[in-house]
Amino acid sequence: MTDENVDLEVRLEEQEAFEPPESFVEQANVSDEGIYEEFEENWPECWERAADMLDWDEEYDNVLVDDDAPFYEWFTGGQLNASENCLDRHVEGGRGDSVAIEWEGELGETRTYTYEELLEEVDEFAATLRGLGVEEDDVVTLYMPMIPELPIAMLACARLGAPHSVVFAGFSADALATRMNSADSEYLVTCDGYYRRGDALDHIEKANEGLEGVDHEVSDVVVVDRLGDELAHSLADNQHDYDELVADHAGESVEPISRDAEDMLFLMYTSGTTGKPKGVKHTTGGYLSYAAWTSHAVLDIEPEDTYWCSADIGWITGHSYIVYGPLALGTTSVMYEGTPDYPEKDRMWELVEKNDVDIFYTAPTAIRAFMKWGTEYPQQHDLSSLRLLGTVGEPINPRAWKWYYKHIGNEECPIVDTWWQTETGGMMITTLPGIGTMKPGSAGPPLPGIDGRIVDVDGNQVESGNAGYLTVNRPWPGMLRTLYQNDDRFIEEYWSEYSDPDSDEWVYFPEDGAKIDDDGYITVLGRVDDVINVSGHRLGTMEIESAIVGVEGVAEAAVVGGDHEVKGEAVYVYAITEDGYDEGDELEERVVEGVLESIGPIAKPEEIIFTPELPKTRSGKIMRRLLEDIASGNELGNTSTLRNPEIVDDIAAQVEND
Ligand code: WT7
């Protein structure tokens, strides 16, 4: 490194606050600091700003109805259709020739859909689904990787008023079955396979295996021929080739169904503390307006932009910020099928350069991988089209933030570190890129209109500098409305910790720990429940544990998250064998197999440690904290309160040796 470069590194390392560049501020969608006060003073009417981003078939009567809190209702009386807002209105507004989706497959093939073309595809697939009998309010399950048919199917469902439930393609057959069962979903759209690092992966086999576990009749399965082998797989009687079916509806259009603002747009399953995934219900009016508003205010998206969010549509980030938010704003959304290091580690930057990407939104785990690979990869490309960078999914450490700022943004792009969740529908805590000072590692203040606080166990706000629990003390339009067919669990999971129902005070608890500084900037520290965050993906430790104790030969298991350089957290398994079973490689393999089968490769254990006992308190509770410290290689605290302190050294020694 030259002296000049060393100086730069040192300066960056010490710098704790960054201002957005003037050139960005001048063109920002939101650059008036007064917006915070304006939202405060006009709450909840301020949310009309979000609703105004959409076209409504019927104007709403009330912004917020809170009679039956925490079952809040937003924009009641209003009617709209999400697919019309994402497609028709842009075409009718004369922007039919603008590109809606710029797709690139892993092997390098591309597909470009203008708004007009996308509308045509959505119309035809909506007609196809209707032809199969799909009616308003039927839940349609979509089990597809990052291929254009996924957003097409989502928007086709939205057009018909049929909520979609997208199941991440990396999830296992069991996970698909659980979700279809929970939602009583009778329709599935899937595909034959897809590419990963150049290899064709089978997908239909997994889908079929999942279908075997569905406890009700599945009327129809539509299969996209992604591999181009004319579906060499044999299709069952109720299974249809996507292209063939759609050909029968060529040129047809479907009148978008006017949905009530509070009607369900989609369901998205996510992990919680207990074993069963939760079906998060999002609505048409509140969710869509919130996705559009945050895309406008935080991602600074303009119709002329080319915007790229590198998440998978199988997660909420892809729903809100690849599909609904960007398309509602009429921008060009880039969609990439594959992995970031195929064929080379510069694939992302090649895509940025080729498409002149203006805004790039990714996860800290990806940034840590880019850092590890080195600066030579971004340096091979012209990244000067970029004007804004974003991150989401987990805390970002200042070092990764600064690397991203310097080596991707060339110190010219603001970074928004956006905290939110599947349940919140959209971003909640982040700086506004045209306003706020950025502090690496700290997400920033709550967005205008969002009442985020850091409280102690009693719900009292903590002094700045102290750690506590994050709460949201007022509702917002993008919030989940309930857990599908489980209102009780909805209250129990999110509203029981800090609310005071007697005085009708409802406080949302996201189960994250956080701290706050003198400027009101929030640093999110991570989950405080039994959920771990592996590469920005949320996994329930109980879910993994129940998969493992289902393996023959395992008597008991504890799963915790341990620190991991790239993944953030990784899955550590501590298991006790059943009498008569050996703790050898064979059992280890079967444990891995069990996890893959019940959840998928994202939950694959980093390490499996067999032990004769788990460290337990005198009352018999597993000391998870201690297991986490062992996994992370942290110093171990006091173990004297354990019933079996001697076991700790044994386990720790094993982890070190592995
Ligand atoms: C959990 C939600 C929101 C889409 C991706 C994940 C963690 C998310 C941040 C951030 C620190 C973050 C939290 C949250 N998280 N964004 N910017 N800084 N932590 O959605 O699967 O619902 O997970 O991800 O722990 O509770 P999700």
Side-chain angles (χ1 to χ4, degrees):
M1 246 193 268
T2 62
D3 285 354
E4 205 177 318
N5 273 341
V6 172
D7 284 350
L8 194 70
E9 292 290 337
V10 170
R11 174 172 64 67
L12 261 185
E13 207 173 298
E14 287 171 354
Q15 193 172 339
E16 283 172 5
F18 295 76
E19 295 303 323
E22 201 51 44
S23 55
F24 183 90
V25 175
E26 274 165 15
Q27 60 80 59
N29 285 342
V30 179
S31 55
D32 179 1
E33 234 175 297
I35 188 167
Y36 289 96
E37 221 178 283
E38 184 195 317
F39 268 60
E40 221 37 60
E41 281 167 7
N42 289 321
W43 201 92
E45 278 72 33
C46 56
W47 290 114
E48 288 178 10
R49 279 276 283 265
D52 283 348
M53 316 247 18
L54 305 179
D55 280 1
W56 296 77
D57 301 336
E58 192 69 54
E59 271 304 311
Y60 49 88
D61 306 313
N62 296 295
V63 171
L64 171 64
V65 174
D66 60 4
D67 302 344
D68 190 21
F71 298 97
Y72 295 97
E73 296 183 313
W74 289 88
F75 310 124
T76 52
Q79 293 197 338
L80 75 168
N81 181 282
S83 105
E84 184 174 21
N85 269 283
C86 290
L87 301 168
D88 308 54
R89 63 167 174 159
H90 306 311
V91 175
E92 282 154 20
R95 302 196 56 254
D97 292 338
S98 307
V99 176
I101 293 180
E102 190 69 75
W103 177 83
E104 178 148 333
E106 200 188 60
L107 303 179
E109 70 270 51
T110 56
R111 282 199 246 163
T112 303
Y113 295 87
T114 63
Y115 274 93
E116 192 168 350
E117 288 163 348
L118 191 60
L119 173 57
E120 230 171 79
E121 299 272 345
V122 168
D123 257 330
E124 289 176 356
F125 194 55
T128 303
L129 287 176
R130 183 173 275 172
L132 291 176
V134 173
E135 289 176 10
E136 197 176 347
D137 294 323
D138 287 345
V139 176
V140 178
T141 303
L142 310 178
Y143 185 42
M144 278 187 274
M146 289 288 282
I147 54 177
E149 287 80 2
L150 176 52
I152 289 169
M154 288 164 76
L155 293 166
C157 288
R159 203 162 186 85
L160 298 174
H164 51 73
S165 164
V166 178
V167 178
F168 173 58
F171 274 139
S172 67
D174 281 2
L176 172 67
T178 313
R179 286 157 178 75
M180 286 187 76
N181 288 336
S182 159
D184 276 321
S185 175
E186 293 175 6
Y187 298 91
L188 173 68
V189 185
T190 184
C191 70
D192 58 347
Y194 56 106
Y195 295 97
R196 263 299 167 276
R197 298 206 164 84
D199 295 330
L201 297 190
D202 195 288
H203 191 62
I204 182 80
E205 206 179 288
K206 210 166 59 164
N208 279 333
E209 207 187 303
L211 284 166
E212 277 168 31
V214 176
D215 59 14
H216 53 270
E217 203 189 320
V218 174
S219 345
D220 296 279
V221 179
V222 183
V223 186
V224 176
D225 179 11
R226 162 67 187 125
L227 297 180
D229 55 5
E230 254 113 75
L231 298 181
H233 308 262
S234 57
L235 297 179
D237 287 346
N238 67 343
Q239 301 189 326
H240 324 274
D241 173 14
Y242 181 101
D243 294 321
E244 271 176 34
L245 270 195
V246 170
D248 292 340
H249 297 272
E252 285 180 29
S253 54
V254 167
E255 190 60 30
I257 299 264
S258 260
R259 296 279 279 169
D260 283 340
E262 280 295 307
D263 280 344
M264 171 157 62
L265 178 60
F266 66 86
L267 265 180
M268 166 121 264
Y269 284 85
T270 188
S271 298
T273 301
T274 61
K276 258 184 89 182
K278 311 185 270 195
V280 169
K281 175 185 162 182
H282 280 297
T283 58
T284 312
Y287 168 83
L288 191 64
S289 53
Y290 198 70
W293 161 250
T294 47
S295 295
H296 167 83
V298 182
L299 294 172
D300 203 53
I301 290 177
E302 290 280 359
E304 306 73 50
D305 286 330
T306 299
Y307 155 81
W308 183 17
C309 164
S310 74
D312 192 293
I313 294 178
W315 308 104
I316 192 74
T317 308
H319 277 53
S320 302
Y321 300 113
I322 297 177
V323 183
Y324 286 112
L327 297 184
L329 297 184
T331 198
T332 299
S333 188
V334 174
M335 196 179 155
Y336 172 53
E337 177 189 40
T339 40
D341 56 351
Y342 189 83
E344 289 299 332
K345 296 190 172 69
D346 68 337
R347 187 65 186 271
M348 308 301 271
W349 320 123
E350 179 188 284
L351 272 166
V352 168
E353 177 171 13
K354 187 169 97 178
N355 293 297
D356 280 321
V357 171
D358 299 88
I359 303 159
F360 182 62
Y361 190 34
T362 193
T365 182
I367 299 169
R368 290 191 298 263
F370 302 148
M371 274 174 81
K372 215 174 154 187
W373 297 340
T375 53
E376 69 223 65
Y377 298 102
Q379 270 161 13
Q380 287 164 19
H381 297 278
D382 177 3
L383 306 180
S384 61
S385 58
L386 290 169
R387 89 165 185 275
L388 174 65
L389 302 174
T391 79
V392 58
E394 42 172 332
I396 182 165
N397 52 309
R399 216 164 76 79
W401 193 101
K402 288 174 185 179
W403 188 92
Y404 194 33
Y405 185 71
K406 174 158 187 256
H407 297 289
I408 307 304
N410 194 29
E411 301 189 62
E412 283 162 0
C413 304
I415 295 179
V416 283
D417 171 2
T418 60
W419 178 89
W420 58 292
Q421 308 181 293
T422 305
E423 291 87 342
T424 69
M427 301 158 176
M428 300 288 282
I429 299 174
T430 169
T431 51
L432 285 166
I435 297 179
T437 304
M438 296 164 275
K439 301 185 191 181
S442 168
L447 280 173
I450 301 297
D451 187 357
R453 302 183 187 181
I454 312 302
V455 301
D456 61 20
V457 276
D458 300 320
N460 301 314
Q461 278 182 268
V462 300
E463 305 252 341
S464 65
N466 292 342
Y469 301 98
L470 178 61
T471 60
V472 185
N473 295 48
R474 253 183 344 210
W476 65 100
M479 66 194 295
L480 80 165
R481 295 304 191 267
T482 191
L483 292 176
Y484 191 60
Q485 291 178 340
N486 205 340
D487 290 347
D488 291 343
R489 191 170 173 200
F490 169 65
I491 299 211
E492 194 186 306
E493 294 262 357
Y494 305 105
W495 307 93
S496 60
E497 212 82 26
Y498 291 107
S499 302
D500 180 7
D502 295 335
S503 52
D504 206 26
E505 253 176 58
W506 295 95
V507 176
Y508 174 82
F509 181 45
E511 312 223 46
D512 269 328
K515 56 185 192 183
I516 189 160
D517 73 8
D518 289 337
D519 300 322
Y521 275 50
I522 292 171
T523 297
V524 178
L525 301 168
R527 305 284 307 191
V528 293
D529 55 359
D530 293 327
V531 165
I532 59 178
N533 192 327
V534 178
S535 302
H537 300 316
R538 177 161 152 190
L539 299 171
T541 52
M542 305 287 250
E543 254 174 282
I544 308 176
E545 278 167 18
S546 80
I548 295 173
V549 294
V551 171
E552 191 192 322
V554 177
E556 199 181 345
V559 169
V560 300
D563 294 345
H564 188 279
E565 195 190 342
V566 173
K567 298 177 185 170
E569 281 186 288
V571 175
Y572 278 77
V573 178
Y574 300 87
I576 302 178
T577 51
E578 247 173 290
D579 270 354
Y581 285 86
D582 282 340
E583 41 188 62
D585 292 349
E586 197 258 347
L587 184 56
E588 198 166 317
E589 254 165 55
R590 283 195 293 114
V591 168
V592 172
E593 212 38 50
V595 174
L596 297 185
E597 245 168 57
S598 104
I599 302 162
I602 43 164
K604 192 174 166 186
E606 189 72 18
E607 218 172 295
I608 299 167
I609 298 111
F610 290 106
T611 167
E613 278 174 52
L614 292 166
K616 287 189 178 164
T617 59
R618 296 224 164 83
S619 60
K621 275 182 74 175
I622 298 173
M623 279 278 272
R624 291 174 172 279
R625 188 47 53 83
L626 198 64
L627 293 172
E628 284 166 15
D629 284 337
I630 296 173
S632 302
N634 296 341
E635 194 130 330
L636 303 182
N638 185 358
T639 55
S640 63
T641 56
L642 290 179
R643 189 161 65 187
N644 50 354
E646 67 289 346
I647 201 70
V648 174
D649 292 334
D650 265 26
I651 300 178
Q654 269 201 67
V655 174
E656 267 167 37
N657 290 340
D658 270 331

